[in-house]
Amino acid sequence: MQSSNRTVHIGLIGLGTVGGGVFRLIQSHAERYRKTRGIDLRISHACGLDEGRARELGVTPEQFTTDWLDIVNDPSVDIVVEVIGGEHPATEIFMESFAHGKHVVSANKALLGRHMEKLAGTAHTEGVQLRCEASCGGGIPIVDTLEHDLSGNTVLAIAGIVNGTTNYILSRMAEEGLDYEEVLADAQRLGYAEADPSADVDGFDAASKIAILSSIGFATRITTDDVFMQGIRTISVEDIEAARDLGYAIKMLAIGLRTDEGADIRVHPAMIPATHPLAGVSGAMNAVYVVGDAVGETMFYGAGAGAFPTASAVVGDVLALAESISAGVKPLPEPEPYSRQMPVRSIEDLMTRYYVRLLPGDGVAATATEVLAAHGIIVDEVITRGDGSVVLVTDTCREGDMVAALDALAASDTAAQVANVIRIENIAAWSEGVEAN
């Protein structure tokens, strides 16, 4: 294939893990892009705060800058790649880039999860595109799949493991019988978890991703603030062993479901059948399960983070834009952002089964069963474990009723003390509405 007549100029803002991966990927593959795609990509500017880091990556003095405005204000730059994360100055980078007629490619899930409507709306108004494949699932091509490949479907469910840190922790707890704090410390030492792991272990990272994916899949505005979040800090080895005995695995799930009452959007640890494909996703890997009314069940699996997997998604977006630009054709502007078309269901209205583990004590099962029954909750199974703790498995009930029952149990003078409560996910509900073949 002949080389393009039009060089596409890239301004890269951020030279950390992902930015470094983007720089190295483009530099090492540039000749292949020219030969196989006819696209001549050139990184005109690379912005970072550490000149030593830039030199290590091979950034030339002519390319390097510490001021992102040098990129935004350069009329030759076609595409701005923002990989610094956070809200500021990322927001200003987006808005100034759009105002200068530049397309933006970003991996910034925290910003996009909260402000996609404003950012995409501005891109639409300015006639440019905002692309964010790398914001959800690292190298897994899930955003483009929802926007294009599955667009002929009514998406019924988007659910999966979208945070590698929590999956790494839960996997090692399950495989090695280690407790949460021990695995977390090891994950921090190995670089899988930050010094402050809150964004991962408390669910915010996953909530940002499921907000973005649900907005696209359900064609309705969902923000991170709409997502119910519960983290994994309370999960114990005892819970994992009890789940295994019941035929389940415990996974930190991000779930988006289309229901008759609205969008059901949540992030929390859940028990799923050990035979389900998601139960076998281990370590720091990610997987997204998408159910469409026509295609049925699909699953996308891969590395959810890291320099090159995330850079792969970023560069994929860059090439998608560059294909038109290099041919002298202006890419279509960003579509108008989705408005709120579907209400978001309250977590209190969730209908599911529950695992309740009680601390050892005389008569705890009978007492807890009586309190639950008073709130309309039926206990299907009672299991006394070797350590004297008691596990109750309930019938399907409303979350609001379960919360009220647990509050009543905590306020009573009984010996029944709850060690943990975990939702048992109704996997079958994910496929309700699939067309028969």
Side-chain angles (χ1 to χ4, degrees), residues 154-158 218 256-259 291-293 430-434:
T154 295
V155 174
L156 305 172
I158 305 167
F218 303 146
L257 301 180
R258 182 189 297 271
T259 77
V291 182
D293 64 338
W430 296 359
S431 299
E432 291 177 0
V434 173

Side-chain angles (χ1 to χ4, degrees), residues 28-255:
S28 63
H29 288 58
E31 185 61 26
R32 184 175 66 80
Y33 301 150
R34 279 191 290 271
K35 288 181 177 179
T36 62
R37 302 283 300 272
I39 299 172
D40 182 20
L41 288 184
R42 183 173 303 170
I43 298 178
S44 300
H45 300 286
C47 178
L49 299 178
D50 186 344
E51 190 172 357
R53 162 70 172 168
R55 283 198 302 268
E56 288 175 5
L57 291 170
V59 177
T60 67
E62 293 75 24
Q63 289 173 308
F64 182 69
T65 179
T66 58
D67 188 350
W68 59 266
L69 285 169
D70 290 340
I71 292 174
V72 172
N73 291 330
D74 185 342
S76 72
V77 171
D78 300 295
I79 302 169
V80 173
V81 175
E82 180 276 312
V83 284
I84 58 173
E87 193 157 334
H88 300 287
T91 300
E92 291 75 20
I93 291 169
F94 274 74
M95 302 302 278
E96 287 296 319
S97 297
F98 296 151
H100 284 76
K102 302 182 192 307
H103 309 283
V104 175
V105 173
S106 178
N108 196 334
K109 67 257 182 186
L111 178 62
L112 297 171
R114 287 196 185 278
H115 302 295
M116 179 66 87
E117 184 178 28
K118 173 186 175 182
L119 297 171
T122 303
H124 171 78
T125 300
E126 298 294 347
V128 293
Q129 282 193 26
L130 163 57
R131 298 185 68 94
C132 62
E133 183 65 70
S135 66
C136 301
I140 301 174
I142 188 61
V143 171
D144 194 64
T145 297
L146 288 170
E147 288 182 332
H148 300 104
D149 300 326
L150 295 180
S151 60
N153 289 254
T154 295
V155 174
L156 305 172
I158 305 167
I161 296 163
V162 296
N163 182 269
T165 299
T166 51
N167 200 52
Y168 173 84
I169 292 171
L170 291 175
S171 295
R172 284 200 57 196
M173 290 175 68
E175 293 162 6
E176 301 176 40
L178 304 174
D179 64 29
Y180 167 80
E181 292 293 345
E182 185 176 358
V183 180
L184 173 60
D186 209 29
Q188 290 169 321
R189 181 181 62 81
L190 294 169
Y192 288 117
E194 301 289 342
D196 178 1
S198 302
D200 294 317
V201 302
D202 293 331
F204 182 81
D205 175 80
S208 297
K209 294 172 183 175
I210 197 62
I212 295 169
L213 294 177
S214 297
S215 294
I216 297 168
F218 303 146
T220 188
R221 180 172 57 86
I222 303 290
T223 73
T224 309
D225 293 334
D226 295 319
V227 183
F228 171 81
M229 285 181 277
Q230 181 184 15
I232 65 167
R233 294 180 192 264
T234 64
I235 303 299
S236 69
V237 173
E238 290 77 15
D239 296 319
I240 290 172
E241 291 175 349
R244 185 182 293 122
D245 291 344
L246 290 166
Y248 296 114
I250 298 177
K251 292 294 183 181
M252 178 70 155
L253 296 183
I255 299 169

